[in-house]
Amino acid sequence: ILMETALAKLPTGSTLKLPAGRYAKGGTGGGKHIALPPGTRLIGEPGATIVSSSYPVFRTSDNTVIEGLTFDNSTGGISIGIEVEGADVAIRRNTFYRGNQQVYLRDCERVDIEDNTFKETGYAVLQKSGYTSNAVRVSRNRFLRCTGDCVELNSETANPCWGWQILDNYAKDIGGTERTEVATEDRFFGATATRGVVISGNLIDGIAGDSALHFESLSGDTLVTGNVFRDLHGDSGKLIFLTSSLQDCTIDFSHNHVEFSSEYTFLEG
């Protein structure tokens, strides 16, 4: 079933339930997406699966909800699952299998990304460089055997993002399980030029990259508390990696439980 057929002439404020089935998106080349009108609720019933697409699949707008879909990239074809634009957007209870940059944030605010499963994806939640996303909550998601950063904010120093909350997520075996892994950006969280971040209540169980948390270029005013970090095993890795471009950076790291291999260090920067 072509997605364009299922979503043809969808009026503003509609609720569309996609029945079980395998849906392909037509068109070729980058930049061809399905734009959801303001107020759209796109709800996938069990078994509703997006199987191929010229990326991205969907682009949100104000007050849109995408819920209950599976984005299956096991045979290739889906790079970006959802481009997020607008205010008051919810991405919840979806499953993303393989592919890269599955939730891709552009200019947006008050966004909830919650209760999703990302399995073997690359850069699962990514803030696009050159855009600004504020008041974003990433909560209760599962990141399983992913590569790249589970959550990465490529903000801009001239107009930094603010107000991100990374809460109660579970990350398992990010970047693999090999003890000699030397991958760089296989981390739980990375941020550039972002302020007012709270990272709390997360269970990070297995990180093979150069650090679990990475901050650069004026990232600061960050609270890291109540998390569990265990099985941090990347070769010569760090728990927290700060770049030399940081200025006026305040990171409160408190009340966390940390376990890491003897090759690991706590902080570099």
mmCIF file of all heavy atoms in Angstrom, residues 121-159:
data_model
loop_
_atom_site.group_PDB
_atom_site.id
_atom_site.type_symbol
_atom_site.label_atom_id
_atom_site.label_comp_id
_atom_site.label_asym_id
_atom_site.label_seq_id
_atom_site.Cartn_x
_atom_site.Cartn_y
_atom_site.Cartn_z
ATOM 1 N N THR A 121 19.469 0.989 15.282
ATOM 2 C CA THR A 121 19.462 2.204 14.475
ATOM 3 C C THR A 121 20.773 2.961 14.676
ATOM 4 O O THR A 121 21.526 2.710 15.616
ATOM 5 C CB THR A 121 18.292 3.126 14.876
ATOM 6 O OG1 THR A 121 18.462 3.523 16.234
ATOM 7 C CG2 THR A 121 16.961 2.421 14.721
ATOM 8 N N GLY A 122 21.040 3.918 13.792
ATOM 9 C CA GLY A 122 22.168 4.815 13.945
ATOM 10 C C GLY A 122 21.665 6.217 14.237
ATOM 11 O O GLY A 122 20.786 6.712 13.540
ATOM 12 N N TYR A 123 22.199 6.869 15.285
ATOM 13 C CA TYR A 123 21.750 8.208 15.675
ATOM 14 C C TYR A 123 20.218 8.240 15.761
ATOM 15 O O TYR A 123 19.539 8.875 14.965
ATOM 16 C CB TYR A 123 22.269 9.260 14.702
ATOM 17 C CG TYR A 123 23.770 9.367 14.707
ATOM 18 C CD1 TYR A 123 24.531 8.730 13.724
ATOM 19 C CD2 TYR A 123 24.426 10.068 15.698
ATOM 20 C CE1 TYR A 123 25.912 8.799 13.738
ATOM 21 C CE2 TYR A 123 25.812 10.143 15.716
ATOM 22 C CZ TYR A 123 26.546 9.502 14.733
ATOM 23 O OH TYR A 123 27.911 9.575 14.758
ATOM 24 N N ALA A 124 19.695 7.578 16.737
ATOM 25 C CA ALA A 124 18.250 7.362 16.825
ATOM 26 C C ALA A 124 17.467 8.673 16.855
ATOM 27 O O ALA A 124 16.527 8.879 16.090
ATOM 28 C CB ALA A 124 17.938 6.521 18.058
ATOM 29 N N VAL A 125 17.858 9.587 17.770
ATOM 30 C CA VAL A 125 17.203 10.892 17.886
ATOM 31 C C VAL A 125 18.264 11.948 17.616
ATOM 32 O O VAL A 125 19.237 12.066 18.365
ATOM 33 C CB VAL A 125 16.588 11.080 19.288
ATOM 34 C CG1 VAL A 125 15.975 12.473 19.424
ATOM 35 C CG2 VAL A 125 15.554 10.000 19.585
ATOM 36 N N LEU A 126 18.078 12.719 16.556
ATOM 37 C CA LEU A 126 19.121 13.653 16.117
ATOM 38 C C LEU A 126 18.538 15.035 15.873
ATOM 39 O O LEU A 126 17.587 15.202 15.096
ATOM 40 C CB LEU A 126 19.770 13.139 14.826
ATOM 41 C CG LEU A 126 20.879 14.009 14.240
ATOM 42 C CD1 LEU A 126 22.117 13.977 15.126
ATOM 43 C CD2 LEU A 126 21.244 13.557 12.825
ATOM 44 N N GLN A 127 19.109 16.043 16.546
ATOM 45 C CA GLN A 127 18.804 17.443 16.262
ATOM 46 C C GLN A 127 19.660 17.893 15.092
ATOM 47 O O GLN A 127 20.883 17.821 15.131
ATOM 48 C CB GLN A 127 19.094 18.294 17.494
ATOM 49 C CG GLN A 127 19.407 19.752 17.222
ATOM 50 C CD GLN A 127 18.221 20.530 16.706
ATOM 51 O OE1 GLN A 127 17.113 20.333 17.168
ATOM 52 N NE2 GLN A 127 18.449 21.419 15.758
ATOM 53 N N LYS A 128 19.015 18.363 14.020
ATOM 54 C CA LYS A 128 19.727 18.743 12.805
ATOM 55 C C LYS A 128 20.482 20.045 12.998
ATOM 56 O O LYS A 128 19.945 21.027 13.516
ATOM 57 C CB LYS A 128 18.751 18.871 11.637
ATOM 58 C CG LYS A 128 19.399 19.257 10.322
ATOM 59 C CD LYS A 128 18.390 19.235 9.195
ATOM 60 C CE LYS A 128 18.997 19.783 7.897
ATOM 61 N NZ LYS A 128 20.161 19.031 7.458
ATOM 62 N N SER A 129 21.734 20.045 12.558
ATOM 63 C CA SER A 129 22.542 21.254 12.599
ATOM 64 C C SER A 129 21.880 22.348 11.766
ATOM 65 O O SER A 129 21.349 22.100 10.680
ATOM 66 C CB SER A 129 23.939 20.959 12.058
ATOM 67 O OG SER A 129 24.720 22.123 12.045
ATOM 68 N N GLY A 130 21.903 23.577 12.287
ATOM 69 C CA GLY A 130 21.305 24.696 11.572
ATOM 70 C C GLY A 130 19.863 24.961 11.958
ATOM 71 O O GLY A 130 19.264 25.918 11.467
ATOM 72 N N TYR A 131 19.294 24.139 12.828
ATOM 73 C CA TYR A 131 17.919 24.310 13.296
ATOM 74 C C TYR A 131 17.927 24.375 14.819
ATOM 75 O O TYR A 131 18.926 24.073 15.469
ATOM 76 C CB TYR A 131 17.029 23.165 12.806
ATOM 77 C CG TYR A 131 16.872 23.126 11.307
ATOM 78 C CD1 TYR A 131 17.827 22.516 10.507
ATOM 79 C CD2 TYR A 131 15.764 23.699 10.689
ATOM 80 C CE1 TYR A 131 17.689 22.483 9.127
ATOM 81 C CE2 TYR A 131 15.611 23.667 9.309
ATOM 82 C CZ TYR A 131 16.587 23.057 8.528
ATOM 83 O OH TYR A 131 16.456 23.023 7.174
ATOM 84 N N THR A 132 16.796 24.745 15.400
ATOM 85 C CA THR A 132 16.699 24.888 16.846
ATOM 86 C C THR A 132 15.496 24.120 17.365
ATOM 87 O O THR A 132 14.378 24.310 16.878
ATOM 88 C CB THR A 132 16.555 26.365 17.244
ATOM 89 O OG1 THR A 132 17.669 27.103 16.740
ATOM 90 C CG2 THR A 132 16.503 26.516 18.754
ATOM 91 N N SER A 133 15.717 23.268 18.340
ATOM 92 C CA SER A 133 14.621 22.542 18.976
ATOM 93 C C SER A 133 14.700 22.786 20.480
ATOM 94 O O SER A 133 15.726 22.533 21.101
ATOM 95 C CB SER A 133 14.705 21.047 18.666
ATOM 96 O OG SER A 133 15.953 20.520 19.046
ATOM 97 N N ASN A 134 13.606 23.266 21.053
ATOM 98 C CA ASN A 134 13.570 23.630 22.464
ATOM 99 C C ASN A 134 12.469 22.872 23.203
ATOM 100 O O ASN A 134 11.461 22.484 22.608
ATOM 101 C CB ASN A 134 13.322 25.132 22.616
ATOM 102 C CG ASN A 134 14.429 25.974 22.001
ATOM 103 O OD1 ASN A 134 15.604 25.606 22.053
ATOM 104 N ND2 ASN A 134 14.070 27.109 21.420
ATOM 105 N N ALA A 135 12.679 22.681 24.504
ATOM 106 C CA ALA A 135 11.694 22.014 25.358
ATOM 107 C C ALA A 135 11.304 20.663 24.775
ATOM 108 O O ALA A 135 10.132 20.368 24.530
ATOM 109 C CB ALA A 135 10.466 22.896 25.544
ATOM 110 N N VAL A 136 12.317 19.825 24.573
ATOM 111 C CA VAL A 136 12.114 18.478 24.035
ATOM 112 C C VAL A 136 12.311 17.479 25.171
ATOM 113 O O VAL A 136 13.292 17.556 25.908
ATOM 114 C CB VAL A 136 13.106 18.178 22.893
ATOM 115 C CG1 VAL A 136 12.959 16.739 22.405
ATOM 116 C CG2 VAL A 136 12.891 19.159 21.738
ATOM 117 N N ARG A 137 11.377 16.553 25.291
ATOM 118 C CA ARG A 137 11.483 15.506 26.309
ATOM 119 C C ARG A 137 11.627 14.146 25.625
ATOM 120 O O ARG A 137 10.776 13.747 24.834
ATOM 121 C CB ARG A 137 10.254 15.504 27.216
ATOM 122 C CG ARG A 137 10.334 14.448 28.343
ATOM 123 C CD ARG A 137 9.180 14.584 29.305
ATOM 124 N NE ARG A 137 7.901 14.386 28.620
ATOM 125 C CZ ARG A 137 6.720 14.522 29.227
ATOM 126 N NH1 ARG A 137 6.672 14.896 30.497
ATOM 127 N NH2 ARG A 137 5.609 14.319 28.547
ATOM 128 N N VAL A 138 12.714 13.458 25.942
ATOM 129 C CA VAL A 138 12.979 12.114 25.429
ATOM 130 C C VAL A 138 12.871 11.180 26.625
ATOM 131 O O VAL A 138 13.760 11.164 27.491
ATOM 132 C CB VAL A 138 14.373 12.028 24.782
ATOM 133 C CG1 VAL A 138 14.629 10.635 24.221
ATOM 134 C CG2 VAL A 138 14.518 13.091 23.679
ATOM 135 N N SER A 139 11.800 10.418 26.706
ATOM 136 C CA SER A 139 11.542 9.684 27.940
ATOM 137 C C SER A 139 11.018 8.274 27.678
ATOM 138 O O SER A 139 10.275 8.033 26.715
ATOM 139 C CB SER A 139 10.530 10.443 28.811
ATOM 140 O OG SER A 139 9.283 10.565 28.168
ATOM 141 N N ARG A 140 11.441 7.354 28.537
ATOM 142 C CA ARG A 140 10.959 5.970 28.575
ATOM 143 C C ARG A 140 11.143 5.241 27.240
ATOM 144 O O ARG A 140 10.352 4.374 26.882
ATOM 145 C CB ARG A 140 9.492 5.910 29.018
ATOM 146 C CG ARG A 140 9.236 6.535 30.392
ATOM 147 C CD ARG A 140 7.828 6.232 30.884
ATOM 148 N NE ARG A 140 6.801 6.664 29.966
ATOM 149 C CZ ARG A 140 6.311 7.893 29.910
ATOM 150 N NH1 ARG A 140 6.770 8.846 30.736
ATOM 151 N NH2 ARG A 140 5.347 8.201 29.056
ATOM 152 N N ASN A 141 12.186 5.597 26.504
ATOM 153 C CA ASN A 141 12.493 4.901 25.258
ATOM 154 C C ASN A 141 13.486 3.776 25.522
ATOM 155 O O ASN A 141 14.199 3.763 26.518
ATOM 156 C CB ASN A 141 13.075 5.880 24.233
ATOM 157 C CG ASN A 141 12.115 7.000 23.905
ATOM 158 O OD1 ASN A 141 11.162 6.820 23.173
ATOM 159 N ND2 ASN A 141 12.357 8.183 24.478
ATOM 160 N N ARG A 142 13.553 2.851 24.568
ATOM 161 C CA ARG A 142 14.521 1.753 24.622
ATOM 162 C C ARG A 142 15.437 1.860 23.409
ATOM 163 O O ARG A 142 14.951 1.877 22.266
ATOM 164 C CB ARG A 142 13.787 0.407 24.630
ATOM 165 C CG ARG A 142 12.984 0.186 25.913
ATOM 166 C CD ARG A 142 11.832 -0.777 25.724
ATOM 167 N NE ARG A 142 10.837 -0.277 24.770
ATOM 168 C CZ ARG A 142 9.922 0.652 25.053
ATOM 169 N NH1 ARG A 142 9.871 1.198 26.260
ATOM 170 N NH2 ARG A 142 9.065 1.043 24.123
ATOM 171 N N PHE A 143 16.736 1.910 23.666
ATOM 172 C CA PHE A 143 17.754 1.964 22.621
ATOM 173 C C PHE A 143 18.540 0.651 22.700
ATOM 174 O O PHE A 143 19.291 0.439 23.653
ATOM 175 C CB PHE A 143 18.674 3.157 22.822
ATOM 176 C CG PHE A 143 17.967 4.492 22.837
ATOM 177 C CD1 PHE A 143 17.587 5.079 24.037
ATOM 178 C CD2 PHE A 143 17.691 5.165 21.662
ATOM 179 C CE1 PHE A 143 16.945 6.303 24.073
ATOM 180 C CE2 PHE A 143 17.049 6.398 21.671
ATOM 181 C CZ PHE A 143 16.669 6.969 22.884
ATOM 182 N N LEU A 144 18.389 -0.208 21.717
ATOM 183 C CA LEU A 144 18.932 -1.562 21.779
ATOM 184 C C LEU A 144 19.923 -1.788 20.652
ATOM 185 O O LEU A 144 19.563 -1.709 19.469
ATOM 186 C CB LEU A 144 17.799 -2.591 21.689
ATOM 187 C CG LEU A 144 16.629 -2.386 22.667
ATOM 188 C CD1 LEU A 144 15.521 -3.393 22.397
ATOM 189 C CD2 LEU A 144 17.107 -2.476 24.106
ATOM 190 N N ARG A 145 21.187 -2.020 21.011
ATOM 191 C CA ARG A 145 22.256 -2.320 20.044
ATOM 192 C C ARG A 145 22.331 -1.259 18.946
ATOM 193 O O ARG A 145 22.552 -1.571 17.775
ATOM 194 C CB ARG A 145 22.082 -3.724 19.457
ATOM 195 C CG ARG A 145 22.153 -4.822 20.501
ATOM 196 C CD ARG A 145 22.224 -6.206 19.866
ATOM 197 N NE ARG A 145 21.056 -6.524 19.061
ATOM 198 C CZ ARG A 145 19.914 -6.952 19.570
ATOM 199 N NH1 ARG A 145 19.765 -7.111 20.880
ATOM 200 N NH2 ARG A 145 18.884 -7.234 18.796
ATOM 201 N N CYS A 146 22.158 -0.015 19.324
ATOM 202 C CA CYS A 146 22.243 1.083 18.367
ATOM 203 C C CYS A 146 23.702 1.486 18.153
ATOM 204 O O CYS A 146 24.592 1.140 18.938
ATOM 205 C CB CYS A 146 21.447 2.282 18.871
ATOM 206 S SG CYS A 146 19.672 1.960 19.026
ATOM 207 N N THR A 147 23.941 2.242 17.088
ATOM 208 C CA THR A 147 25.245 2.840 16.831
ATOM 209 C C THR A 147 25.067 4.354 16.737
ATOM 210 O O THR A 147 23.957 4.857 16.586
ATOM 211 C CB THR A 147 25.872 2.303 15.539
ATOM 212 O OG1 THR A 147 24.971 2.548 14.445
ATOM 213 C CG2 THR A 147 26.148 0.815 15.641
ATOM 214 N N GLY A 148 26.205 5.070 16.799
ATOM 215 C CA GLY A 148 26.099 6.515 16.904
ATOM 216 C C GLY A 148 25.535 6.881 18.267
ATOM 217 O O GLY A 148 25.301 6.036 19.129
ATOM 218 N N ASP A 149 25.304 8.169 18.505
ATOM 219 C CA ASP A 149 24.721 8.598 19.767
ATOM 220 C C ASP A 149 23.230 8.259 19.783
ATOM 221 O O ASP A 149 22.521 8.508 18.802
ATOM 222 C CB ASP A 149 24.890 10.100 19.953
ATOM 223 C CG ASP A 149 26.357 10.504 20.092
ATOM 224 O OD1 ASP A 149 27.219 9.609 20.097
ATOM 225 O OD2 ASP A 149 26.617 11.713 20.199
ATOM 226 N N CYS A 150 22.756 7.745 20.896
ATOM 227 C CA CYS A 150 21.311 7.513 21.010
ATOM 228 C C CYS A 150 20.544 8.820 20.857
ATOM 229 O O CYS A 150 19.519 8.886 20.174
ATOM 230 C CB CYS A 150 20.990 6.868 22.348
ATOM 231 S SG CYS A 150 21.712 5.243 22.610
ATOM 232 N N VAL A 151 21.040 9.866 21.512
ATOM 233 C CA VAL A 151 20.457 11.206 21.401
ATOM 234 C C VAL A 151 21.590 12.175 21.101
ATOM 235 O O VAL A 151 22.549 12.275 21.877
ATOM 236 C CB VAL A 151 19.735 11.627 22.687
ATOM 237 C CG1 VAL A 151 19.117 13.013 22.524
ATOM 238 C CG2 VAL A 151 18.669 10.605 23.078
ATOM 239 N N GLU A 152 21.501 12.881 19.986
ATOM 240 C CA GLU A 152 22.541 13.854 19.626
ATOM 241 C C GLU A 152 21.917 15.177 19.237
ATOM 242 O O GLU A 152 21.004 15.238 18.404
ATOM 243 C CB GLU A 152 23.410 13.341 18.474
ATOM 244 C CG GLU A 152 24.378 14.401 17.984
ATOM 245 C CD GLU A 152 25.606 13.848 17.301
ATOM 246 O OE1 GLU A 152 26.117 12.810 17.734
ATOM 247 O OE2 GLU A 152 26.039 14.466 16.319
ATOM 248 N N LEU A 153 22.438 16.263 19.829
ATOM 249 C CA LEU A 153 21.954 17.611 19.561
ATOM 250 C C LEU A 153 23.039 18.385 18.834
ATOM 251 O O LEU A 153 24.034 18.795 19.439
ATOM 252 C CB LEU A 153 21.605 18.327 20.872
ATOM 253 C CG LEU A 153 20.286 17.965 21.549
ATOM 254 C CD1 LEU A 153 20.264 16.524 22.011
ATOM 255 C CD2 LEU A 153 20.042 18.891 22.740
ATOM 256 N N ASN A 154 22.863 18.601 17.551
ATOM 257 C CA ASN A 154 23.801 19.395 16.766
ATOM 258 C C ASN A 154 23.283 20.825 16.700
ATOM 259 O O ASN A 154 22.833 21.299 15.671
ATOM 260 C CB ASN A 154 23.953 18.818 15.357
ATOM 261 C CG ASN A 154 24.692 17.508 15.364
ATOM 262 O OD1 ASN A 154 25.615 17.321 16.129
ATOM 263 N ND2 ASN A 154 24.271 16.579 14.519
ATOM 264 N N SER A 155 23.332 21.499 17.815
ATOM 265 C CA SER A 155 22.820 22.857 17.904
ATOM 266 C C SER A 155 23.849 23.843 17.353
ATOM 267 O O SER A 155 24.916 23.462 16.886
ATOM 268 C CB SER A 155 22.468 23.164 19.356
ATOM 269 O OG SER A 155 21.783 24.374 19.473
ATOM 270 N N GLU A 156 23.537 25.130 17.404
ATOM 271 C CA GLU A 156 24.407 26.180 16.874
ATOM 272 C C GLU A 156 24.772 27.147 17.992
ATOM 273 O O GLU A 156 23.923 27.539 18.792
ATOM 274 C CB GLU A 156 23.703 26.946 15.746
ATOM 275 C CG GLU A 156 23.294 26.074 14.573
ATOM 276 C CD GLU A 156 24.488 25.558 13.797
ATOM 277 O OE1 GLU A 156 25.512 26.268 13.751
ATOM 278 O OE2 GLU A 156 24.397 24.451 13.247
ATOM 279 N N THR A 157 26.035 27.558 18.046
ATOM 280 C CA THR A 157 26.471 28.472 19.099
ATOM 281 C C THR A 157 25.767 29.825 19.033
ATOM 282 O O THR A 157 25.575 30.482 20.050
ATOM 283 C CB THR A 157 27.988 28.686 19.035
ATOM 284 O OG1 THR A 157 28.345 29.146 17.723
ATOM 285 C CG2 THR A 157 28.722 27.391 19.317
ATOM 286 N N ALA A 158 25.364 30.262 17.836
ATOM 287 C CA ALA A 158 24.699 31.557 17.698
ATOM 288 C C ALA A 158 23.256 31.507 18.199
ATOM 289 O O ALA A 158 22.693 32.534 18.574
ATOM 290 C CB ALA A 158 24.720 32.005 16.238
ATOM 291 N N ASN A 159 22.647 30.326 18.214
ATOM 292 C CA ASN A 159 21.250 30.198 18.625
ATOM 293 C C ASN A 159 21.060 28.835 19.275
ATOM 294 O O ASN A 159 20.435 27.945 18.703
ATOM 295 C CB ASN A 159 20.320 30.357 17.419
ATOM 296 C CG ASN A 159 18.871 30.512 17.826
ATOM 297 O OD1 ASN A 159 18.575 30.920 18.944
ATOM 298 N ND2 ASN A 159 17.963 30.177 16.932
#
